[in-house]
Amino acid sequence: MNKAELVDAIAADTKCTKKDAEAFIKSFTATVSRTLAKGEDLQLIGFGTFCVSERAARTGRNPKTGQDITIPAAKMPKFKPGKALKDSVNK
């Protein structure tokens, strides 16, 4: 499913306009991004948790030249599915 299909599905389920459904999706993704940027978790009970994990600096290899390179430490967004979501997928 892509974004346009998601907008259509939300509009059909909620009986709102596609414009309103798209505004909701934009607001939701912006809110998740802002929350994670502040280093906070966003938990939706039954669905899952959006969180940030720390990835340590490490040494990698340039595949083109074979030369060792240093990959800097980074913060990575993660999603941990909740029990209800896991159960619905594994029916």
Side-chain angles (χ1 to χ4, degrees), residues 4-83:
E5 293 168 337
L6 180 60
V7 167
D8 291 343
I10 290 173
D13 286 348
T14 61
K15 295 180 180 36
C16 70
T17 66
K18 288 182 183 182
K19 188 173 184 177
D20 289 342
E22 186 170 6
F24 168 79
I25 292 170
K26 285 181 181 180
S27 176
F28 177 77
T29 56
T31 301
V32 171
S33 296
R34 280 193 309 271
T35 302
L36 295 179
K38 290 189 280 186
E40 299 174 4
D41 292 351
L42 190 147
Q43 183 179 18
L44 301 171
I45 302 296
F47 183 71
T49 303
F50 295 91
C51 58
V52 177
S53 67
E54 303 272 337
R55 182 183 287 175
R58 61 194 190 282
T59 302
R61 187 174 306 272
N62 182 332
K64 196 171 195 177
T65 64
Q67 184 179 27
D68 286 344
I69 58 172
T70 301
I71 302 170
K75 294 179 181 178
M76 299 300 296
K78 282 189 168 181
F79 177 75
K80 298 176 188 175
K83 183 177 181 339

